[in-house]
């Protein structure tokens, strides 16, 4: 694993605070951006994505919990692809889903459980790891790999 271009740590004290963090990120996302989300079940990955979707002006009714599909496409200010790799066994299985054609495409990509298939990450991306600290508290550790992800992170968490 290469060294991140830029890192940031931020605390969230409530589900709402995580949602607001996501909302701000969603306002900044551009086509081609790729965000990998890492953290155990219940860490808050989906919560963050719901905020991102709102920030990208995706109609609330479109946002699902992608437990059974691998990729959910949302239509917001830009296309947003929400993927969950929890049930993906390996890279070959992911290949069959079409997921690998998304990076660098017409929209931004958000991927829960990226650590299940680390090879699925493009060369440049933003990785956010969520750690539960107390009951309603989370620590978000963001690592940007590459110039555009670093600019995105700097704008998101100045
Ligand atoms: N600060 C916080 N940020 C996000 N979720 C939180 C926070 N505190 C408590 N929670 C709770 O943790 C759970 C997170 O669920 P979810 O977002 O589906 O996690 P994941 O997608 O990582 O499995 C929710 O029940 C939410 O209410
Ligand atoms: Mg989830």
């Amino acid at each position: 694993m290469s060294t991140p271009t830029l890192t940031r740590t931020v605390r969230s004290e409530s589900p709402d605070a995580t949602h607001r963090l996501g909302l701000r990120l969603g306002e900044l996302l551009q086509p081609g951006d790729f965000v990998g989300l890492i953290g155990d079940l219940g860490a808050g990955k989906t919560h963050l994505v719901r905020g991102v979707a709102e920030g990208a002006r995706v109609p609330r009714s479109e946002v699902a919990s992608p437990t059974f599909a691998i990729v959910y496409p949302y239509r917001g200010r830009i296309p947003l692809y929400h993927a969950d790799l929890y049930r993906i066994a390996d890279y070959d299985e992911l290949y069959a889903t079409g997921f690998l054609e998304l990076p660098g495409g017409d929209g931004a990509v958000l991927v829960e459980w990226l650590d299940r298939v680390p090879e699925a990450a493009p060369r440049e991306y933003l990785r956010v790891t969520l750690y539960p600290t107390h009951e309603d508290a989370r620590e978000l550790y963001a690592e940007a790999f590459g110039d555009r992800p670093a600019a995105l992170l700097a704008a998101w968490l100045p």
Side-chain angles (χ1 to χ4, degrees):
M1 177 52 64
S2 59
T3 313
T5 314
L6 185 72
T7 67
R8 289 279 189 274
T9 301
V10 65
R11 283 179 59 82
S12 160
E13 303 293 345
S14 69
D16 273 2
T18 298
H19 190 93
R20 284 194 299 275
L21 281 168
L23 202 149
R24 251 165 54 205
L25 178 58
E27 289 170 349
L28 296 166
L29 283 180
Q30 294 298 337
D33 287 337
F34 185 107
V35 182
L37 299 168
I38 303 192
D40 288 339
L41 270 177
K45 303 181 293 300
T46 300
H47 242 75
L48 190 71
V49 171
R50 285 176 187 280
V52 170
E54 188 178 335
R57 289 194 249 119
V58 174
R60 198 172 288 247
S61 57
E62 282 197 28
V63 181
S65 181
T67 312
F68 298 107
I70 303 305
V71 183
Y72 276 81
Y74 303 145
R75 288 157 302 176
R77 173 177 60 76
I78 57 169
L80 204 65
Y81 299 96
H82 178 195
D84 189 323
L85 306 187
Y86 188 67
R87 286 182 170 72
I88 293 288
D90 54 29
Y91 193 79
D92 286 346
E93 197 179 321
L94 194 59
Y95 188 84
T97 68
F99 170 87
L100 297 167
E101 283 136 50
L102 294 178
D106 63 341
V109 183
L110 291 151
V111 189
E112 298 188 40
W113 291 103
L114 181 64
D115 48 328
R116 294 267 159 142
V117 193
E119 315 94 287
R123 201 168 47 83
E124 302 208 334
Y125 72 107
L126 178 63
R127 182 165 70 198
V128 181
T129 307
L130 294 93
Y131 300 99
T133 44
H134 298 99
E135 258 171 54
D136 274 355
R138 304 288 186 267
E139 188 170 279
L140 278 66
Y141 178 58
E143 298 161 283
F145 299 92
D147 290 343
R148 163 59 195 164
L152 175 63
L153 176 54
W156 179 35
L157 304 174

